[in-house]
Structures are given as structure tokens and as C-alpha cells.
Amino acid sequence: DKVIDVQALMGDSTDNVPGVPGIGVKTAAELINTFGSLEELLARTTEIKQPKRREALEANAELARISKQLVTLKRDAAL
């Protein structure tokens, strides 16, 4: 249930999902497990101890939100 948030952070070059620069799969999974969701993580960036990671998240918060929209499957599409 947290795969979408992890993918939004790490991105996916195959599908042109940008993600947050410098955040890979292990870091993304760790952050989402710690904070619970992408929005909670972005709201609490001041709690991140690594300065480069915190700066990357703060500078690319909107990019992470757009990436989440890109990896979310739409379930309300007409068939």
C-alpha cells in the first residue's frame, strides 16, 4: 500500500517519472516506513538529519507530488 509513495520518491526512468534526485529505492522505502506517507514526509522534512537529503526533499517537494500522480493508477476510467 506504500509502493506508490516509494515510487514517487525514487522515480522511474523507464516511465519518465522524475522522483527526487538522490533518492534511491532503499532510501525511499526507509523514509516512507519512517514517516508513513509522502505527504507526511514532506510536512516533516525538518526531522530529517541528513542535510543533503533534507534539502533535496524540500527543493523537489512539488516534483515528488507530480511523480505520485504519474505512478497512481486511475480506477475511475470508463471502460
Side-chain angles (χ1 to χ4, degrees), residues 16-28:
N16 290 325
V17 177
V20 176
I23 304 289
V25 65
K26 289 180 184 179
T27 303

Side-chain angles (χ1 to χ4, degrees), residues 5-79:
D5 290 337
V6 172
Q7 282 186 317
L9 282 175
M10 67 180 206
D12 185 351
S13 60
T14 305
D15 292 328
N16 290 325
V17 177
V20 176
I23 304 289
V25 65
K26 289 180 184 179
T27 303
E30 176 188 326
L31 289 168
I32 297 303
N33 280 330
T34 301
F35 292 95
S37 71
L38 178 65
E39 286 304 322
E40 187 66 22
L41 167 65
L42 296 176
R44 296 170 51 193
T45 56
T46 57
E47 297 176 30
I48 298 172
K49 294 180 171 117
Q50 300 84 353
K52 286 190 176 193
R53 189 177 296 170
R54 181 177 55 249
E55 290 168 10
L57 287 163
E58 289 172 347
N60 296 286
E62 194 57 35
L63 195 58
R65 289 182 180 102
I66 291 168
S67 295
K68 184 172 180 174
Q69 289 178 346
L70 291 172
V71 298
T72 302
L73 295 175
K74 299 294 180 189
R75 297 180 185 191
D76 58 353
L79 297 176

Side-chain angles (χ1 to χ4, degrees), residues 1-5:
D1 62 334
K2 298 179 183 182
V3 172
I4 293 171
D5 290 337

